[in-house]
Amino acid sequence: MLDKISLLEFGPEELKEELASLELPNFRFAQIPRWYFARKAGSISEMTDLPLTLREKLAEKYTVFAAEMLAHRKSDDGTEKLLLQWPDGHRVECVLLRDDRNHRTACISIQVGCAMGCLFCASGLDGFVRNLTRGEMIEQILRLNQLLPKTERLTHLVIMGTGEPLLNLPSLLSALNAVTSQENLDISKRRVTISTVGLPQGIEKLADAEVSYRLAVSLHAPNDVLRNRIVPQNRHTGIQKIMAASDYFFEKTGRRVTFEYVLIDSLNDSREHAQELTALLRNRTAIVNLIPFNPVQGLPYKTPSPTATRDFAETLQNNGIDMKIRFRKGNSINAACGQLRRSWKESKE
Ligand code: SAH
């Protein structure tokens, strides 16, 4: 039997084309997406204001959710994580984060695995498998939205799960366009952050797409010698080109870029590193997001001591660099990128 096709793969016009042979009246093309975007339906059978015959007809070939939910973990701090398996057997993780400002944030994956090979990251340890489709990205968002009570919906979206978003940009933009549109989930475009390893051409493309999403760049080191080691992709680009592309993004969009910096004990966390980072960012409108390393099983790296983290942060602050420390969430459910997928793999296979 052929796998059913998810309706989430189709934008409004594509859906009309796809279902043309059913000769549906126009209002059905608003009614059907409203079920999965606004009314939190995950299947065609829930669409109770469609005639039963139409539901049956649609269900022969289509579905809403394509994945099987293999795991649903909840952490004491309100973080929830899903492990989804697509019909081809590949798996991805996505996370719902709650905070005390009432933000409800979805973090989704963009690819199965990752080709970037960052030294400290669990997502890339098993290499790259494939890009996710538009529908697969939307499905993660809708499934996380379903975890919220009926009256609540997602307020923020971070494209910070597994994979490099700028290498799957057309599908990602199509998915984001769907969930940010007013008649669907209506997540504000300014509340969507795309986090990249730092691909200059991709950053420029994103700026040129004029879509108002925020950009975060995973810098992790203030000079090329160290960055080549921590983020091997840097050997192809170098920091200067990334900074130039980020400057272009800021000029074009007026949105300041976030530079993420994972602090790893004795690797990139010294006062000298903080000073070098300051020099790199001094004349730029930017903010630094410090992320104390979240331990990954099998990797030798350590989280810096709270004192080292505070020292690093203070050096930036004393030099006038805006910064935030990103505290860890969902520790007890392997919420760091790729760790649930990996631990599942190890324990079940
Ligand atoms: N692929 C995207 C999104 C990655 S996840 C990117 O490279 O930007 C978001 C951030 O968490 C990135 O900056 C990533 O480098 C960082 N990260 C990955 N593994 C981590 C770990 N074990 N501890 C702390 N931060 C980590």
Side-chain angles (χ1 to χ4, degrees):
M1 199 190 74
L2 277 179
D3 290 324
K4 291 188 182 173
I5 306 167
S6 167
L7 293 173
L8 305 177
E9 298 295 350
F10 306 107
E13 290 311 312
E14 294 157 341
L15 191 64
K16 281 184 192 168
E17 256 171 59
E18 177 69 23
L19 302 181
S21 64
L22 298 178
E23 298 181 339
L24 301 176
N26 239 340
F27 70 91
R28 295 274 182 237
F29 296 102
Q31 197 178 18
I32 294 171
R34 200 179 308 131
W35 272 107
Y36 35 83
F37 283 118
R39 305 180 77 170
K40 300 191 180 181
S43 67
I44 290 169
S45 60
E46 287 164 72
M47 302 180 182
T48 46
D49 57 4
L50 298 186
L52 185 60
T53 48
L54 175 57
R55 270 181 272 158
E56 284 170 353
K57 186 98 202 134
L58 283 172
E60 281 169 18
K61 191 167 166 200
Y62 303 101
T63 178
V64 178
F65 288 164
E68 181 188 343
M69 196 197 290
L70 290 186
H72 176 188
R73 303 249 171 106
K74 294 183 198 179
S75 174
D76 295 342
D77 62 11
T79 304
E80 297 186 48
K81 183 165 214 171
L82 303 178
L83 182 67
L84 304 178
Q85 176 165 293
W86 307 111
D88 66 3
H90 291 304
R91 297 161 190 167
V92 299
E93 300 173 21
C94 53
V95 187
L96 171 69
L97 300 132
R98 296 174 161 98
D99 72 8
D100 47 16
R101 289 174 298 172
N102 243 349
H103 291 181
R104 290 169 292 271
T105 304
C107 175
I108 62 158
S109 295
I110 313 98
Q111 300 179 318
V112 178
C114 182
M116 298 299 101
C118 299
L119 208 61
F120 56 85
C121 177
S123 290
L125 288 176
D126 305 306
F128 169 74
V129 181
R130 68 169 174 85
N131 273 335
L132 294 180
T133 63
R134 162 196 153 101
E136 289 169 335
M137 287 184 264
I138 297 176
E139 177 166 340
Q140 295 174 66
I141 297 166
L142 296 181
R143 281 184 180 268
L144 295 170
N145 194 49
Q146 275 189 343
L147 301 179
L148 296 167
K150 258 211 163 71
T151 52
E152 287 182 21
R153 61 183 175 80
L154 293 169
T155 59
H156 291 70
L157 201 52
V158 292
I159 313 304
M160 295 191 181
T162 294
E164 170 47 47
L166 301 183
L167 293 179
N168 192 12
L169 197 57
S171 300
L172 174 63
L173 290 182
S174 171
L176 293 180
N177 191 37
V179 296
T180 54
S181 95
Q182 232 170 6
E183 62 275 20
N184 293 340
L185 268 192
D186 195 19
I187 298 174
S188 159
K189 285 187 161 46
R190 282 166 299 134
R191 292 174 162 191
V192 175
T193 304
I194 300 177
S195 176
T196 172
V197 73
L199 305 176
Q201 287 176 347
I203 293 174
E204 286 161 16
K205 264 194 215 155
L206 184 63
D208 290 336
E210 298 188 354
V211 279
S212 312
Y213 304 129
R214 290 183 186 279
L215 175 70
V217 175
S218 293
L219 197 59
H220 307 330
N223 63 63
D224 280 328
V225 175
L226 186 57
R227 193 168 195 270
N228 286 348
R229 230 179 108 196
I230 300 181
V231 183
Q233 174 62 28
N234 193 61
R235 295 170 199 159
H236 305 290
T237 58
I239 290 178
Q240 282 315 320
K241 280 197 186 144
I242 296 172
M243 299 316 286
S246 304
D247 292 344
Y248 177 75
F249 183 91
F250 176 65
E251 281 159 27
K252 192 93 205 242
T253 63
R255 303 201 180 285
R256 71 175 173 172
V257 175
T258 299
F259 291 95
E260 293 158 289
Y261 196 105
V262 174
L263 282 170
I264 303 171
D265 180 52
S266 305
L267 187 64
N268 64 354
D269 64 338
S270 72
R271 189 162 296 171
E272 288 71 35
H273 292 130
Q275 280 159 350
E276 230 182 318
L277 184 60
T278 301
L280 192 64
L281 299 179
R282 183 164 281 139
N283 295 316
R284 297 187 150 95
T285 311
I287 177 164
V288 175
N289 218 326
L290 293 178
I291 318 170
F293 173 66
N294 197 346
V296 174
Q297 227 186 5
L299 293 184
Y301 309 105
K302 287 206 206 81
T303 314
S305 69
T307 318
T309 303
R310 199 170 44 228
D311 265 11
F312 197 97
E314 278 175 9
T315 305
L316 295 183
Q317 259 174 339
N318 295 341
N319 285 293
I321 305 289
D322 271 351
M323 68 98 215
K324 267 190 218 154
I325 302 179
R326 191 190 294 168
F327 293 103
R328 290 188 236 159
K329 287 212 150 101
N331 266 357
S332 60
I333 53 167
N334 288 336
C337 324
Q339 297 214 68
L340 178 58
R341 175 170 170 253
R342 292 208 87 229
S343 63
W344 195 268
K345 212 168 165 172
E346 278 153 15
S347 62
K348 310 279 156 159
E349 286 176 0

